[in-house]
Amino acid sequence: MIATKDRVRIVETRVLSDDWYLLKKTTFDFLRRDGVWQRQSRETYDRGDGATILLFNRQVQKVVLTRQFRFPVFVNGHDGMLIEAAAGLLDNASPEERIRAEAEEETGYRVQNVQKVFEAYMSPGSVTEKLHFFIGEYDADSRVSDGGGVEAEGEDLEVIEMPLADALHAIRQGTLVDAKTIMLLQFVALNRSLENNQ
């Protein structure tokens, strides 16, 4: 079997935008399974890798999420106010280090027992970002601030605590539509060992 690196020949790469993040257009030749080289062109959006965490209170079966305005979702017909798990870009830090800081900054909780559960590419057809997924525990004593994010970065987050069952129901209702958050909630639902009564 031919290694993927031997099936791709970069012809040209052009930077289309380097404002918020980096948008490139790349022309390349790809060796198809039938042995024919095919010229293709793709745009890739590089925003760096990120991490996300679901804050979970095992004893009372509750989760902490945030609600914030997301402009790309707004222009796609949603009201723009998404309910999400805490998340952020790595910014040259390790995934666990970064997500602990991000969780505290966004939710006001200092998380405990942080566990990495998986990694995933969220939109591999166009975005280079790989997301590191974590579960972390919290309780009432873990609250160290009001959270809400960083105003200078345009963040204005509402912190929401809700029963796990309500969060799972919100997915079925279509009121919770953020992919990373759905994945983390379903991970907890599928792993019954995370539930207090198991």
Side-chain angles (χ1 to χ4, degrees), residues 32-189:
R32 297 171 53 86
R33 288 180 295 127
D34 60 10
V36 175
W37 286 93
Q38 182 181 43
R39 182 144 300 178
Q40 299 183 20
S41 179
R42 296 289 184 273
E43 292 180 6
T44 55
Y45 193 52
D46 186 354
R47 57 192 308 268
D49 291 343
T52 184
I53 188 167
L54 181 66
L55 278 66
F56 180 56
N57 186 319
R58 186 187 308 259
Q59 281 66 43
V60 296
Q61 293 292 292
K62 289 187 176 182
V63 295
V64 169
L65 302 170
T66 65
R67 182 182 285 119
Q68 64 179 304
F69 179 70
R70 296 294 198 182
F71 183 72
V73 176
F74 175 76
V75 298
N76 197 31
H78 190 275
D79 70 3
M81 300 303 293
L82 282 195
I83 298 172
E84 304 180 41
L89 296 178
L90 299 186
D91 295 330
N92 299 314
S94 73
E96 183 174 333
E97 176 187 8
R98 186 67 211 121
I99 202 54
R100 283 179 178 276
E102 196 72 29
E104 188 171 323
E105 181 180 289
E106 291 190 3
T107 69
Y109 286 92
R110 187 163 292 152
V111 289
Q112 310 149 18
N113 303 324
V114 173
Q115 174 192 359
K116 185 171 182 180
V117 291
F118 54 85
E119 298 175 4
Y121 291 95
M122 299 302 291
S123 188
S126 58
V127 181
T128 62
E129 178 186 30
K130 177 171 62 177
L131 205 55
H132 301 261
F133 287 75
F134 293 86
I135 302 287
E137 295 186 50
Y138 79 97
D139 55 31
D141 295 332
S142 306
R143 194 83 188 254
V144 294
S145 75
D146 292 335
V150 179
E151 184 178 349
E153 296 176 4
E155 293 181 331
D156 181 22
L157 287 73
E158 175 189 355
V159 180
I160 304 167
E161 184 180 39
M162 67 171 66
L164 174 61
D166 289 357
L168 293 168
H169 184 66
I171 297 171
R172 292 189 293 275
Q173 284 185 311
T175 55
L176 199 161
V177 295
D178 174 64
K180 66 183 179 295
T181 308
I182 292 171
M183 292 165 73
L184 282 168
L185 288 166
Q186 289 182 340
F187 178 87
V188 170

